[in-house]
Amino acid sequence: MRKRPGRPRSARGRKSYHHGDLRRALLEAARELVQTAGAEALTLRAAARLAGVSQAAPYRHFADKRALLAAVAEEGFRALTETMRRATVAHAGDPLGRFRALGLSYVGFAVSHPAHFRVMFGRETADKAAHPGLRDAAEETLGLLVGALTDCQRAGLARPGDPAELAVSAWAAVHGLSALLLDGQLGTAAPERVEQLAQCVTASLFLGLGPERA
Amino acid sequence: MRKRPGRPRSARGRKSYHHGDLRRALLEAARELVQTAGAEALTLRAAARLAGVSQAAPYRHFADKRALLAAVAEEGFRALTETMRRATVAHAGDPLGRFRALGLSYVGFAVSHPAHFRVMFGRETADKAAHPGLRDAAEETLGLLVGALTDCQRAGLARPGDPAELAVSAWAAVHGLSALLLDGQLGTAAPERVEQLAQCVTASLFLGLGPERA
DNA sequence: ACCTGAACACCGTTCAAGT
DNA sequence: ACCTGAACACCGTTCAAGT
């Protein structure tokens, strides 16, 4: 798939000594490892093996393991953003519904891509200053919440105040539920229970961020 | 310190071939490693070195690395429970104040013991069925929130509903904020900003879980 | 009953050497 | 310019052997 025909290859169609696009191949290998074998199976050596190169080859393209993890995490944030954005289309003209749909789809992403989610929030990629692309992708995700909350405020459906700070509260709630679910802290977590908890969390959230009533 | 005088030791005061209480020594070593060098420095071999035994010795006392981590995590939950319980004493007769103090002290524990907190919620100890002591300790922590919420309900200060489910919402909010802070997702997180965010999260929470107003 | 020493199969990372 | 092979210092885990 995606065979870039102009690239030099050996007679039998296998890759040449120079890989050509090893960076992309390593990223694809890393993504596959995370999806199929979990976050702890994502090692630099395993990615190199899957890409068919020596263990030292990745260091031409990634400074260290953290850099590869950061690239995978960045992909994850872009996918999460896309998932959340898609979840809002059914709620045009309903700021509160959009806001809540963002939260529900956040939890949905976490439980359906647990390993990827862990890489996105793992300690190894915590140094955002060293990975500006990752920081930008994460800020774009948060931006969706800030934007939706601002819309709620404009419609008089959310209390006044710094939207970034209120959005962080919303983020904390759905992120916390996701983290507790992935860490097995809430029992077996059957799909219907996940849905119920997500509804409960986003409901109480919505109420707490709502306008003050006299 | 804590020299158990009746225990057989060699002439120079060093430990004998048989350690005597290696399990406890390994746990102390593990706790020290986590506190001083971080969660990723907590290896079985390092704990054995710190306890002065061979790398294979821990396997007499812990089935594997996860078992040691689970023991450290259990200690962490007990310390967290104690911290939270202490935070409520200033709020006798004020169910809402108690509930909020529990949440604030949860975040406070996370930011002041980040490595320990990570071990408590790390993937390696996610298998609660294999570590009943850890599960009990974690449930005791959650129990504080459930109890405080039930008191709020009795006083008409929280909406009716399954207290366990509403307590999970509260847990999710403070846990999410803690996780985002520890993962560097909210910037540098100066102490006053941490305090501000924790106030904001527990405030919106309190409002959202409060009684329905007509 | 408890611990050691050596081994095995892994890591991340570096570096001279190959093409 | 990009990749390999071998090496180094680590892991977790096992197992025969020591005390």
Side-chain angles (χ1 to χ4, degrees), chain B:
Chain B
M1 49 203 84
R2 208 191 292 118
K3 268 236 161 84
R4 317 276 230 84
R7 205 153 279 292
R9 296 192 173 252
S10 75
R12 300 206 309 280
R14 305 268 300 109
K15 63 188 171 307
S16 66
Y17 188 87
H18 284 67
H19 187 281
D21 201 352
L22 183 52
R23 189 177 205 281
R24 180 201 302 259
L26 286 168
L27 252 170
E28 281 177 13
R31 196 188 316 135
E32 186 167 331
L33 282 169
V34 155
Q35 279 170 359
T36 64
E40 73 278 6
L42 172 43
T43 69
L44 224 36
R45 290 172 101 114
R49 272 194 300 270
L50 211 60
V53 293
S54 80
Q55 71 225 213
Y59 287 91
R60 284 291 126 193
H61 303 275
F62 295 97
D64 51 20
K65 190 191 178 183
R66 299 163 110 89
L68 176 61
L69 258 60
V72 171
E74 183 180 336
E75 278 195 345
F77 274 107
R78 303 218 180 275
L80 171 58
T81 300
E82 189 51 32
T83 297
M84 290 169 72
R85 217 189 290 275
R86 263 199 301 271
T88 62
V89 298
H91 302 270
D94 175 10
L96 226 40
R98 262 182 65 204
F99 188 56
R100 215 172 150 203
L102 287 174
L104 290 172
S105 60
Y106 187 98
V107 179
F109 181 90
V111 298
S112 56
H113 306 85
H116 217 139
F117 191 83
R118 284 197 195 96
V119 172
M120 290 160 63
F121 293 99
R123 184 170 52 291
E124 306 226 64
T125 58
D127 184 10
K128 296 294 177 298
H131 309 287
L134 171 56
R135 194 202 48 217
D136 293 349
E139 276 178 6
E140 195 185 348
T141 304
L142 176 57
L144 287 180
L145 289 172
V146 177
L149 190 98
T150 305
D151 289 346
C152 287
Q153 286 179 323
R154 267 201 277 267
L157 297 167
R159 64 182 53 242
D162 180 5
E165 196 156 306
L166 295 173
V168 164
S169 292
W171 189 14
V174 292
H175 183 73
L177 178 60
S178 303
L180 292 175
L181 285 168
L182 294 200
D183 289 343
Q185 218 71 38
L186 302 177
T188 47
E192 64 270 13
R193 176 154 164 74
V194 170
E195 177 66 20
Q196 192 182 12
L197 287 170
Q199 293 286 347
C200 180
V201 164
T202 55
S204 53
L205 224 190
F206 142 82
L207 285 169
L209 298 175
E212 306 174 75
R213 281 162 293 183

Side-chain angles (χ1 to χ4, degrees), chain A residues 33 42-51 53-56 58-59 68:
Chain A
L33 282 168
L42 171 43
T43 69
L44 224 35
R45 289 172 101 114
R49 271 193 301 271
L50 211 60
V53 293
S54 80
Q55 69 224 209
Y59 287 92
L68 176 61

